[in-house]
Amino acid sequence: MRSANLLNDFAFKYVFGEDCKEANDALKSLLTVFLERKVVNVHVTNMGVDPLLETIVEFDDNTKMKLAIFINQNRLKLQYLSEFYLMKLYGSQEESDLNPCQAIAFYDGMESQFEINYQFRNDDGLLLLPDGMLKISVYSTQNLDKSYNQMNDKEKMVYYLLNCRDDSKIKMMIEKDGVIQTVEKRVETISDDGWKKIIEDFQKVHENEERMELQLELEEAHKAQEEADKKVSQMSQEIKQMIQDMLSNGMSVSQIAKCVSKSEEEILELIC
């Protein structure tokens, strides 16, 4: 029952965010690839059903980073969420102990890899934060129709996460790539019941999201209808006042009807 795709939010959180040695080793290996630095320790700070993965990462040079990982978002939503969590991660730190904050995101767009490096400057153009303090790194789940030898380490990892079942390319990756071997060891520890739970949790949350989105749409439609009704009522009052003014100025009902493009019956209904 093994999942074919670890790049859905709940499978990813379950595989890499669970409180066990195999998951932690797999996460360290994964981050070593995508951060291109040797990760020696990683602590997940948001255990539970939240599909977002928040961590504190420690490197072999004794530096630290606060990191958030997002899965399968469109680019606009991705950038909004990443910016929000970057500010959240940065703002949660003590001023005396500020660490870089980064978001890693996987999305289904065609641009294979890009980074957004946020820079804040004062009125004189001087950087308020060191360069690289707030950064988003984005990786596409497309453009992977390549041979094993044509892929870089990040593409190999994304391919493995997307196609986490036996095929010739996956077997070659497991045999040749020590990092993927570490992730595979973690995947192999998950029972059929564990995969079943991942799928059930994923379905429940997305069903809830769909219900919430539908409720929001209904509320927005109701609000729009109320606004439209309010405008119609306001316009009706304005027309009534205009007709009353015309009558006060000695115009007949037939003359008013011609001016406002209404029948005499409609005019009489409005002033009654």
Side-chain angles (χ1 to χ4, degrees):
M1 191 176 174
R2 173 171 167 162
S3 174
N5 179 6
L6 298 185
L7 281 182
N8 71 60
D9 41 18
F10 268 89
F12 189 91
K13 178 71 176 286
Y14 189 91
V15 170
F16 294 100
E18 193 177 37
D19 187 16
C20 67
K21 182 180 184 302
E22 292 84 0
N24 195 261
D25 287 345
L27 184 56
K28 283 189 290 188
S29 295
L30 179 88
L31 294 180
T32 293
V33 170
F34 286 101
L35 296 175
E36 298 180 350
R37 297 174 64 187
K38 178 63 176 176
V39 175
V40 295
N41 191 28
V42 59
H43 173 60
V44 177
T45 57
N46 67 329
M47 296 290 184
V49 297
D50 179 6
L52 170 73
L53 195 64
E54 291 183 15
T55 68
I56 297 174
V57 181
E58 297 181 24
F59 300 100
D60 58 352
D61 59 1
N62 295 320
T63 58
K64 295 181 181 180
M65 171 188 289
K66 301 193 79 173
L67 180 75
I69 303 175
F70 301 88
I71 305 295
N72 275 353
Q73 306 288 349
N74 64 59
R75 182 164 177 172
L76 185 63
K77 186 176 180 182
L78 188 69
Q79 187 165 342
Y80 170 78
L81 286 174
S82 298
E83 289 174 358
F84 173 80
Y85 276 97
L86 276 180
M87 299 308 170
K88 177 186 172 185
L89 292 175
Y90 188 79
S92 65
Q93 302 182 97
E94 296 291 336
E95 190 171 350
S96 59
D97 186 28
L98 293 177
N99 295 299
C101 297
Q102 185 168 341
I104 289 179
F106 300 93
Y107 86 126
D108 60 0
M110 296 304 293
E111 192 172 353
S112 59
Q113 179 180 339
F114 62 93
E115 288 188 345
I116 304 171
N117 194 0
Y118 289 91
Q119 296 181 335
F120 297 90
R121 298 177 183 272
N122 62 18
D123 294 338
D124 297 323
L126 298 176
L127 284 173
L128 297 174
L129 298 173
D131 191 33
M133 201 68 173
L134 299 174
K135 184 167 68 173
I136 303 171
S137 298
V138 182
Y139 302 96
S140 172
T141 57
Q142 305 291 326
N143 304 318
L144 296 175
D145 187 18
K146 304 176 181 179
S147 70
Y148 175 84
N149 291 329
Q150 289 175 319
M151 289 182 176
N152 61 39
D153 290 343
K154 295 174 184 177
E155 289 172 332
K156 289 174 186 175
M157 182 60 74
V158 172
Y159 184 90
Y160 171 83
L161 295 173
L162 283 171
N163 303 278
C164 190
R165 277 186 177 160
D166 293 336
D167 68 28
S168 57
K169 195 181 292 187
I170 290 294
K171 287 180 179 178
M172 184 183 300
M173 288 180 176
I174 295 171
E175 290 172 0
K176 292 187 174 184
D177 194 305
V179 174
I180 290 178
Q181 287 172 15
T182 303
V183 179
E184 176 69 10
K185 287 179 184 177
R186 163 56 181 157
V187 170
E188 290 295 331
T189 65
I190 302 174
S191 65
D192 284 351
D193 288 340
W195 289 118
K196 184 178 179 181
K197 183 178 185 303
I198 290 172
I199 294 169
E200 288 175 350
D201 287 347
F202 181 77
Q203 289 174 337
K204 285 177 184 176
V205 168
H206 283 278
E207 285 170 2
N208 288 336
E209 287 179 349
E210 288 175 359
R211 280 195 292 269
M212 289 175 65
E213 287 177 1
L214 179 59
Q215 181 63 32
L216 285 173
E217 288 175 3
L218 291 173
E219 290 175 359
E220 288 175 1
H222 180 68
K223 184 177 180 181
Q225 184 61 52
E226 286 184 336
E227 289 292 328
D229 291 343
K230 184 178 178 181
K231 287 181 179 179
V232 169
S233 177
Q234 184 178 349
M235 288 177 64
S236 179
Q237 291 298 322
E238 290 174 355
I239 291 171
K240 283 182 181 181
Q241 184 59 51
M242 182 177 65
I243 291 171
Q244 291 291 349
D245 293 342
M246 287 178 173
L247 288 170
S248 299
N249 290 329
M251 292 181 66
S252 66
V253 171
S254 61
Q255 289 174 324
I256 295 171
K258 290 178 182 179
C259 287
V260 297
S261 300
K262 290 183 178 292
S263 68
E264 293 184 18
E265 290 78 9
E266 289 175 313
I267 298 297
L268 291 172
E269 286 179 5
L270 286 168
I271 62 177
C272 288

